[in-house]
């Protein structure tokens, strides 16, 4: 025991001695402990230290965290935060106050998970994994739908029933995975790899869209969908993916890296079957309209038949004539029914053709042709402009040659210059005996003025 700790057999000790002894005992017994509780009464003076109370339903303890430790925190603690504190129990001798000297603070439970979620989200976003321009487009009418989830979940049953109801011709393949717990992220990655291997082995029956799904739950239940390795795998996945994890209010990292987010598992199945559902809905509408038209037409013709029958006279001849007319009406009715059926069938086929003609290929080809035409026009314009500029340049050259004062020297003329190099234009600028320079077409001559004569 340290010498500063008082011996219990002393009869009288000071308050300071008692507090110092208690301080040494506490620090020795609780030198490195972790305590969980809720922060309250937090204060941050200008010194940079943090003071607060850590409490739970059974008690409370004062806490202090020095500035040197507080600057290392990766989040800002607030009143009401449930946290795990690591540090040393001590006692402030001046006041006898029992307290926890905090070395580190971690958020507990969902608070810590949310912090990790935000940190990973920020990291992946800065790397461009959420970039909308990099996301794959979903196939308009997927023929083979891959589902990654647990076969035993209600979410999988919801997806199956929705797809079968809305697009019964679509093929569904399950790549099973664990969707909760420590092993779930690795299991989901293996499920994605399994789909790639399937497509490699089945090029004629490839899965063309993948739904990653599970039902709702707490943040801990859905935590495997916030795994960084899984997020990177989904971001680089060559097949369009839909994240249908949890309820509408639940968000995971998978939602942001997938090519599309669905608010629920059922909604993800509705997204991949929307086109087929609309087609079947339209076909059903056309079929109902056709049946309705036939019924109305048939009813109208039958009414006419009844009307004609009512006007039949008693004489046998008239009866036979009317009977013949009835037969004719009946034949026309059948012909009209066939014709109406044929016309509606043609309309139906035309509607299907229009659906197929909406492909962007024709538009792309037309735009590509326009671009080529524009390129040719630009090339011709550039050639014409260059040719014109060359002609103008040659014309400028000719004019420059004509205006060049030295070109006159080629015709036998010369330029007379004084010793300063200035051209002599009049006899008044020289005197007898001056030495001048004559510039010829080729070379120079020094000449002496003997005498001057007026022209």
């Amino acid at each position: 025991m340290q010498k500063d700790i008082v011996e219990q057999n002393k009869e009288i000790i000071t308050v300071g001695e008692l507090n110092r002894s208690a301080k040494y005992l506490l620090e020795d017994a609780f030198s490195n402990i972790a305590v969980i509780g809720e922060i309250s009464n937090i204060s941050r003076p200008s010194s940079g230290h943090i003071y607060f109370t850590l409490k739970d339903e059974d008690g409370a303890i004062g806490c202090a965290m020095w500035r040197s430790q507080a600057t290392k925190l990766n989040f800002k603690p607030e009143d009401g935060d449930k946290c795990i504190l690591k540090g040393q129990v001590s006692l402030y001798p001046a006041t006898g106050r029992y307290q926890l000297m905090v070395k580190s603070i971690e958020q507990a439970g969902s608070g810590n998970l949310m912090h990790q979620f935000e940190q990973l989200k920020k990291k992946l976003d800065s790397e461009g994994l959420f970039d909308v321009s990099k996301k794959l487009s979903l196939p308009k009418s997927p023929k083979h739908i891959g589902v990654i989830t647990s076969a035993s979940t209600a979410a999988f049953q919801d997806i199956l029933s929705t797809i079968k109801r809305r697009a019964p011709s679509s093929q569904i393949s399950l790549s099973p995975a664990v969707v909760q717990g420590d092993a779930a992220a690795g299991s989901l990655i293996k499920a994605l790899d399994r789909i790639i291997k399937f497509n490699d082995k089945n090029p004629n029956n490839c899965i063309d869209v993948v739904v990653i799904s599970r039902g709702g739950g707490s943040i801990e239940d859905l935590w495997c969908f916030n795994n960084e390795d899984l997020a990177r795998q989904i971001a680089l996945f060559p097949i369009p993916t839909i994240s249908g994890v949890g309820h509408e209010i639940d968000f995971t990292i998978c939602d942001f890296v997938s090519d599309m987010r669905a608010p629920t598992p059922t909604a993800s199945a509705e997204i991949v079957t929307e086109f087929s559902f609309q087609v079947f809905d339209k076909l059903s509408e056309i079929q109902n309209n056709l049946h309705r038209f036939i019924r109305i037409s048939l009813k109208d013709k039958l009414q006419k038949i009844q009307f004609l029958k009512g006007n039949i006279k008693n004489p046998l001849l008239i009866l036979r004539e009317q009977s013949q007319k009835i037969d004719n009406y009946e034949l026309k009715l059948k012909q009209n029914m066939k014709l109406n059926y044929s016309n509606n069938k043609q309309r139906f086929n035309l509607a299907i053709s229009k659906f197929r003609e909406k492909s962007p290929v024709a538009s792309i080809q037309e735009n590509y042709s326009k671009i080529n035409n524009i390129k040719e026009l630009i090339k011709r314009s550039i050639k014409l402009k260059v040719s014109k500029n060359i002609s103008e340049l040659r014309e400028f050259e000719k004019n420059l040659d004509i205006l060049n004062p030295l070109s006159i020297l080629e015709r036998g003329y010369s330029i007379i210059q004084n010793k300063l190099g200035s051209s002599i234009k009049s006899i008044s600028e020289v005197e007898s005996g001056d030495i001048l320079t004559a510039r010829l077409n080729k070379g120079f001559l020094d000449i002496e003025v003997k005498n001057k004569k007026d022209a």
Side-chain angles (χ1 to χ4, degrees):
M1 183 176 291
Q2 299 182 31
K3 62 181 181 178
D4 291 334
I5 298 178
V6 299
E7 296 179 6
Q8 294 186 15
N9 59 1
K10 276 191 176 184
E11 295 182 1
I12 300 174
I13 60 174
T14 66
V15 173
E17 288 176 326
L18 176 61
N19 285 348
R20 282 192 296 274
S21 296
K23 170 182 171 70
Y24 296 140
L25 288 171
L26 286 171
E27 290 179 348
D28 184 61
F30 303 99
S31 61
N32 189 22
I33 62 168
V35 186
I36 186 170
E38 182 181 308
I39 290 177
S40 65
N41 301 322
I42 193 167
S43 63
R44 297 181 175 86
S46 60
S47 63
H49 308 321
I50 302 176
Y51 301 97
F52 56 91
T53 300
L54 188 70
K55 66 179 182 178
D56 60 15
E57 62 273 10
D58 297 322
I61 181 173
C63 302
M65 189 175 199
W66 304 134
R67 178 181 178 180
S68 59
Q69 301 295 333
T71 56
K72 298 177 183 178
L73 292 175
N74 56 10
F75 76 106
K76 185 178 181 181
E78 298 290 352
D79 288 342
D81 288 349
K82 189 175 183 181
C83 298
I84 299 173
L85 277 55
K86 293 182 179 179
Q88 181 182 37
V89 177
S90 184
L91 184 143
Y92 185 47
T95 61
R97 184 171 178 264
Y98 159 78
Q99 61 185 355
L100 178 64
M101 308 306 297
V102 181
K103 297 178 182 177
S104 68
I105 304 176
E106 295 180 5
Q107 290 180 297
S110 61
N112 186 41
L113 292 180
M114 282 304 299
H115 176 69
Q116 294 179 38
F117 173 85
E118 292 298 333
Q119 291 292 101
L120 179 58
K121 179 183 174 185
K122 183 178 179 181
K123 175 183 177 182
L124 298 181
D125 190 19
S126 67
E127 294 180 19
L129 268 69
F130 302 164
D131 190 348
V132 176
S133 65
K134 297 179 181 178
K135 295 186 181 296
L136 302 176
S137 299
L138 300 181
K140 193 172 184 180
S141 179
K143 297 179 177 62
H144 195 169
I145 303 167
V147 180
I148 296 179
T149 189
S150 173
S152 61
T153 61
F156 179 54
Q157 297 304 319
D158 291 342
I159 291 172
L160 277 180
S161 60
T162 301
I163 294 176
K164 289 180 179 179
R165 172 174 54 84
R166 291 167 59 91
S169 62
S170 296
Q171 183 180 349
I172 308 168
S173 291
L174 173 67
S175 184
V178 179
V179 292
Q180 183 173 335
D182 295 338
S187 178
L188 289 165
I189 291 173
K190 288 180 181 178
L192 289 167
D193 292 337
R194 196 180 299 123
I195 289 176
I196 296 297
K197 291 177 182 178
F198 174 86
N199 279 5
D200 291 341
K201 294 180 180 179
N202 300 273
N204 296 325
N205 186 28
C206 288
I207 292 172
D208 45 14
V209 67
V210 175
V211 175
I212 304 172
S213 181
R214 72 147 279 164
S218 65
I219 187 171
E220 290 86 359
D221 294 337
L222 305 178
W223 190 246
C224 61
F225 295 94
N226 296 321
N227 180 271
E228 182 174 353
D229 292 336
L230 175 61
R232 295 185 183 279
Q233 182 85 348
I234 294 173
L236 297 174
F237 202 61
I239 304 171
T241 56
I242 299 174
S243 174
V245 178
H247 298 305
E248 189 168 356
I249 60 172
D250 298 323
F251 279 89
T252 67
I253 296 297
C254 285
D255 293 333
F256 297 102
V257 296
S258 295
D259 298 304
M260 179 173 286
R261 181 211 177 228
T264 63
T266 301
S268 66
E270 291 174 347
I271 289 171
V272 294
T273 57
E274 182 61 23
F275 179 79
S276 298
F277 179 73
Q278 289 181 357
V279 169
F280 280 111
D281 193 47
K282 186 64 178 178
L283 289 175
S284 178
E285 180 183 350
I286 293 173
Q287 184 180 32
N288 290 336
N289 290 339
L290 180 60
H291 289 167
R292 188 182 309 109
F293 178 80
I294 292 172
R295 286 196 302 270
I296 293 173
S297 178
L298 183 61
K299 184 178 180 181
D300 181 60
K301 299 300 181 183
L302 289 175
Q303 285 178 346
K304 288 181 179 180
I305 291 172
Q306 294 299 328
F307 175 77
L308 292 172
K309 283 183 177 180
N311 291 330
I312 295 177
K313 304 293 184 178
N314 288 328
L316 183 60
L317 182 59
I318 297 175
L319 181 61
R320 288 175 180 174
E321 290 176 354
Q322 295 300 326
S323 178
Q324 257 184 342
K325 288 182 180 180
I326 291 171
D327 292 336
N328 290 335
Y329 284 132
E330 185 178 357
L331 289 174
K332 287 182 181 180
L333 175 60
K334 289 180 180 180
Q335 290 174 353
N336 287 335
M337 289 175 64
K338 288 181 180 180
L339 181 61
N340 288 333
Y341 177 82
S342 177
N343 289 339
N344 282 290
K345 186 177 181 180
Q346 287 179 355
R347 290 177 186 173
F348 172 77
N349 291 333
L350 181 61
I352 294 297
S353 298
K354 286 183 178 179
F355 283 138
R356 292 173 179 167
E357 287 173 0
K358 288 183 179 178
S359 169
V361 174
S363 178
I364 292 172
Q365 290 176 343
E366 181 181 351
N367 289 331
Y368 184 80
S369 177
K370 288 181 180 178
I371 290 171
N372 286 335
N373 291 337
I374 292 170
K375 282 171 64 178
E376 290 301 320
L377 287 173
I378 291 172
K379 285 181 181 179
R380 287 198 295 271
S381 177
I382 290 172
K383 286 181 180 178
L384 184 61
K385 185 67 176 178
V386 169
S387 177
K388 182 180 178 182
N389 288 340
I390 289 173
S391 298
E392 290 179 352
L393 184 60
R394 288 173 179 167
E395 187 66 28
F396 289 148
E397 266 186 334
K398 286 181 182 180
N399 292 335
L400 284 174
D401 287 339
I402 292 170
L403 296 174
N404 187 353
L406 298 179
S407 62
I408 195 171
L409 300 181
E410 294 177 356
R411 302 201 297 270
Y413 294 95
S414 63
I415 300 173
I416 307 300
Q417 298 173 315
N418 61 21
K419 61 182 179 181
L420 297 176
S422 300
S423 299
I424 303 301
K425 303 178 182 65
S426 171
I427 60 175
S428 63
E429 297 177 12
V430 297
E431 298 293 336
S432 296
D434 286 352
I435 302 300
L436 304 176
T437 301
R439 181 171 183 174
L440 308 177
N441 181 40
K442 294 183 179 179
F444 297 83
L445 293 175
D446 289 333
I447 57 176
E448 181 180 353
V449 179
K450 295 293 184 178
N451 52 49
K452 299 190 295 182
K453 294 180 181 180
D454 289 329

